[in-house]
Amino acid sequence: MIEGSVLPYILVSACICFLVRLTPFVIWKDEGSVPGVVRYVGKYLPPAIITGIVVYCLKGINFAVFPYGAKELSAVALVVILHLWKSNTLLSVFAGTAFYMVLVQGF
Amino acid sequence: MAEKNITAYTFAKALKTMLPIVPGAFPTAVAYALVARNAGMLPQEVVLSSLFVFAGSVQFISIELMRQGIGYVSFALTVFLLHARHMFFGVSVFDKFNKAPKAKPFLIFSLTDESYAIMTSGETPDNVNEGLYYIFIPVIMYVTWNTGTLLGVLASEFITFNTAGMDFALTAMFIVIVVEQLKSYRSKLPFIIGGLSAAAALVVLGPQSMLLGCCAMSVVLIVALRKHIDTDMETEGAA
């Protein structure tokens, strides 16, 4: 559980997010002056980072103890299959989360 | 009269453009508020977060980081990393933002994956006030996100069921984004690079610094493997 005020965290993240969004407008005056390699990285870094974030979210899985991560992995599989099938964000997130909650609370 | 009609028409067109986004963004905001409250954040903190951070992935991850009591420096670095892709968004929307120079601070503040994707993928509808159009889009997003947050905060007062495991919603959301991006990027190498870098960083650097390590390794590998990644055209994916 979170203890105490988290206002400093909110302030920090608000400032950083705004500065990050602002950066290209300050550094480069227009689209033409952005170096090619920056543009290239900007195009392909997001999928890498977001995949990394999924790994980050799952970092707590304990493969050494029963049920060896089966709860998390099956919930992940459900989300993937559901989304490939129906392409409905709401359904995929809701069903996957509900499924995981049942697993965590029921067993 | 003509002025009012164009404005109304422009707003209607913006609304129509955002229609596919709202049903996803609104529940995500509700989910954020529920998860945040469940973790112990105060209602006003949740609301302030959506008002001033206005970044779904950062807001979600922050809950987890705050719960772990992360230090401010590590927190700042992780937020920066997670949000870094927005640094490249501006590059593609220079022209569009210049159509509404007075609103530029708000346009810059409110850049998100969704509005970036919307603004860079479709064509601007005919007969709209372009400047207003590019203002209405993020306004609609901002209102949606904050209304959802508010609703979630209110709903959290009445939730009585056991919410254990509910923060899996965050993982599920990112998985969905990955699946969506897998469809629109022809080269799957960036995904592999990201996943493996993150796993390696977790082992080598530990959970606190793993995102930093993942990003550094990913940039290096993406640049190094340019010939294999950048070869053919893919459909433009939402970054």
Side-chain angles (χ1 to χ4, degrees):
Chain A
M1 281 292 281
I2 293 175
E3 310 287 343
S5 170
V6 296
L7 282 177
Y9 288 109
I10 296 175
L11 196 63
V12 167
S13 51
C15 289
I16 292 183
C17 286
F18 182 65
L19 288 173
V20 164
R21 285 158 163 152
L22 185 62
T23 305
F25 296 92
V26 165
I27 300 180
W28 295 299
K29 295 294 181 291
D30 56 67
E31 202 162 340
S33 35
V34 179
V37 71
V38 172
R39 218 191 289 247
Y40 161 71
V41 170
K43 193 165 164 185
Y44 293 101
L45 189 61
I49 295 287
I50 302 191
T51 308
I53 291 171
V54 173
V55 174
Y56 172 81
C57 287
L58 298 170
K59 67 190 182 318
I61 296 183
N62 192 338
F63 290 110
V65 173
F66 179 86
Y68 312 109
K71 292 180 191 176
E72 286 81 8
L73 293 180
S74 52
V76 168
L78 178 65
V79 174
V80 172
I81 292 169
L82 213 48
H83 202 70
L84 285 172
W85 179 35
K86 288 286 189 185
S87 281
N88 185 331
T89 304
L90 199 54
L91 175 67
S92 307
V93 172
F94 185 79
T97 304
F99 179 71
Y100 183 70
M101 284 174 74
V102 167
L103 287 180
V104 160
Q105 294 180 25
F107 297 93
Chain B
M1 278 310 285
E3 270 303 311
K4 272 201 200 132
N5 283 341
I6 293 180
T7 302
Y9 178 74
T10 302
F11 183 74
K13 278 294 181 181
L15 211 50
K16 185 167 175 219
T17 304
M18 291 298 283
L19 220 46
I21 309 272
V22 170
F26 188 81
T28 307
V30 174
Y32 162 70
L34 288 174
V35 173
R37 288 287 289 129
N38 191 47
M41 275 177 76
L42 300 172
Q44 59 270 31
E45 290 171 341
V46 178
V47 170
L48 284 173
S49 183
S50 283
L51 283 175
F52 290 107
V53 177
F54 189 56
S57 12
V58 166
Q59 287 178 248
F60 264 106
I61 289 269
S62 296
I63 302 173
E64 182 59 32
L65 296 173
M66 291 188 281
R67 193 213 303 264
Q68 290 174 16
I70 196 175
Y72 291 123
V73 176
S74 295
F75 178 75
L77 275 171
T78 307
V79 167
F80 171 74
L81 228 67
L82 182 47
H83 209 66
R85 64 181 181 276
H86 291 71
M87 230 192 293
F88 299 94
F89 287 2
V91 167
S92 318
V93 293
F94 274 120
D95 302 327
K96 299 196 157 74
F97 281 17
N98 281 331
K99 296 218 158 67
K102 292 212 188 101
K104 239 164 135 177
F106 173 72
L107 294 180
I108 293 174
F109 161 73
S110 60
L111 266 174
T112 57
D113 296 312
E114 296 82 0
S115 56
Y116 169 75
I118 291 280
M119 285 191 278
T120 54
S121 62
E123 297 99 35
T124 321
D126 301 320
N127 303 319
V128 297
N129 178 332
E130 276 196 80
L132 278 182
Y133 183 71
Y134 291 117
I135 295 176
F136 285 145
I137 286 184
V139 163
I140 292 170
M141 189 70 200
Y142 191 70
V143 169
T144 303
W145 184 255
N146 281 285
T147 310
T149 301
L150 206 51
L151 193 70
V153 169
L154 291 171
S156 68
E157 300 302 315
F158 301 102
I159 302 273
T160 50
F161 58 83
N162 184 351
T163 54
M166 193 168 69
D167 33 348
F168 186 77
L170 170 60
T171 312
M173 199 183 69
F174 282 113
I175 293 174
V176 162
I177 296 178
V178 169
V179 171
E180 288 284 322
Q181 297 207 321
L182 274 169
K183 286 190 227 162
S184 50
Y185 280 79
R186 185 157 298 177
S187 172
K188 315 300 178 196
L189 263 181
F191 301 90
I192 299 173
I193 288 174
L196 290 179
S197 301
L202 174 61
V203 170
V204 172
L205 299 171
Q208 297 275 19
S209 315
M210 68 176 278
L211 282 179
L212 180 62
C214 169
C215 188
M217 271 188 265
S218 296
V219 172
V220 168
L221 288 171
I222 286 172
V223 172
L225 296 171
R226 184 168 188 173
K227 273 201 283 276
H228 301 273
I229 296 174
D230 210 13
T231 42
D232 41 24
M233 303 278 285
E234 19 60 44
T235 51
E236 194 66 2

